[in-house]
Amino acid sequence: MTYIDHYPEGQPAAARTLGDTPTIHPGCHILRSQVGAWTELGAGTSLVDVTFGDYSYTAGDAQIIYATIGKYCSIASHVRINPGNHPQWRVTQHHMTYRRKAFGLGQADDKEFFEWRKEHACHIGHDVWIGHGAIIMPGVSIGTGAVIGSGAVVTKDVGPYQVAVGVSAKVIKQRFPDEVVEQLLQSEWWNWDRATLEARFEDLLDLQTFLHKYTNVTA
Ligand SMILES: CC(C)(COP(=O)(O)OP(=O)(O)OC[C@H]1O[C@@H](n2cnc3c(N)ncnc32)[C@H](O)[C@@H]1OP(=O)(O)O)[C@@H](O)C(=O)NCCC(=O)NCCS
């Protein structure tokens, strides 16, 4: 056995000190997107027409199109959010019917078709954890605090703090009781400014402490 402390030797590990400017790793592809502070986009991530909130990150090879992603979201590798549907109603559903320019079949692409795709945007709340390889289908919304299991195909909305798994994904549980969920949503801790986050950071590590300090309920 060979113990390997660090490979390749002499090269620093990928920068892990984040900041106001997004940390974007090699091979990312970004078009028409807003990316927040303290964010990290893992290698090979693609964002097209996306709003990506502060502190959220992708582990790599994520593809996200026409979507809003809240703050503090954890997106595992190989997640796909909003894989575009093709026009099943046309004689051919091939993409030449809307990517006309590329095929020399029109002066312009099919604007109306892309508008239709945009109308089926995905909305991901704050502090959502999306597991490895999950697929969030067009038009689906996922509530704040939810968990999506690895490999899930999510075809219907998932509520706040619910845990959904499987193909197609079903809710198997809720992380906390309703009244706790209500209080967490009301607290809107994800909107704390940086100074407040730093001052109260430890309180995010323990539910009882958080509820005691910032809400009317105890878990
Ligand atoms: C969804 C998840 C968080 C649930 O974890 P948990 O709360 O500990 O739940 P359990 O392991 O007790 O599983 C509960 C049930 O759901 C099933 N289940 C768990 N994860 C599942 C998944 N991803 N797909 C299908 N079923 C799953 C379990 O088999 C179990 O079923 P059973 O009650 O019939 O036995 C976890 O399984 C998961 O998928 N994590 C994502 C990990 C990941 O992708 N990380 C990437 C790095 S960020």
Side-chain angles (χ1 to χ4, degrees):
M1 300 288 274
T2 307
Y3 170 72
I4 301 172
D5 179 55
H6 184 190
Y7 181 89
E9 220 175 303
Q11 276 189 27
R16 297 294 300 177
T17 309
L18 308 180
D20 278 343
T21 309
T23 299
I24 301 171
H25 289 276
C28 288
H29 166 74
I30 304 172
L31 277 180
R32 301 182 298 269
S33 296
Q34 302 272 357
V35 183
W38 300 94
T39 49
E40 184 171 18
L41 298 174
T45 292
S46 166
L47 303 184
V48 178
D49 286 291
V50 169
T51 304
F52 197 82
D54 297 345
Y55 297 90
S56 289
Y57 69 92
T58 63
D61 293 309
Q63 280 199 46
I64 310 177
I65 303 177
Y66 303 139
T68 58
I69 312 293
K71 301 177 184 175
Y72 299 94
C73 287
S74 306
I75 300 177
S77 72
H78 297 86
V79 163
R80 182 124 193 217
I81 299 178
N82 209 348
N85 277 317
H86 283 223
Q88 298 175 63
W89 57 89
R90 289 179 175 166
V91 174
T92 171
Q93 56 196 346
H94 189 270
H95 72 171
M96 70 177 169
T97 67
Y98 46 95
R99 298 190 192 282
R100 294 171 188 173
K101 270 168 67 181
F103 290 88
L105 294 169
Q107 298 299 315
D109 287 338
D110 183 352
K111 205 168 163 231
E112 222 171 282
F113 177 79
F114 287 104
E115 286 304 319
W116 174 77
R117 274 194 178 164
K118 271 187 203 171
E119 283 162 19
H120 294 82
C122 289
H123 299 290
I124 313 297
H126 307 290
D127 194 25
V128 173
W129 174 28
I130 303 181
H132 179 93
I135 302 172
I136 316 299
M137 295 302 283
V140 167
S141 293
I142 297 184
T144 289
V147 180
I148 306 302
S150 43
V153 177
V154 187
T155 58
K156 294 191 170 66
D157 292 355
V158 175
Y161 292 90
Q162 291 184 334
V163 179
V165 302
V167 180
S168 57
K170 301 278 181 292
V171 174
I172 52 165
K173 57 186 166 184
Q174 190 165 289
R175 287 174 56 202
F176 307 119
D178 285 348
E179 62 167 355
V180 172
V181 167
E182 190 57 36
Q183 295 292 319
L184 289 171
L185 291 173
Q186 276 181 30
S187 77
E188 293 190 16
W189 66 262
W190 42 88
N191 288 329
W192 290 348
D193 61 20
R194 180 71 197 186
T196 309
L197 175 69
E198 285 178 14
R200 299 178 177 175
F201 175 69
E202 293 288 327
D203 298 335
L204 291 173
L205 310 185
D206 182 67
L207 182 65
Q208 290 288 1
T209 307
F210 183 93
L211 294 173
H212 177 71
K213 285 194 174 177
Y214 309 111
T215 75
N216 316 321
V217 293
T218 45

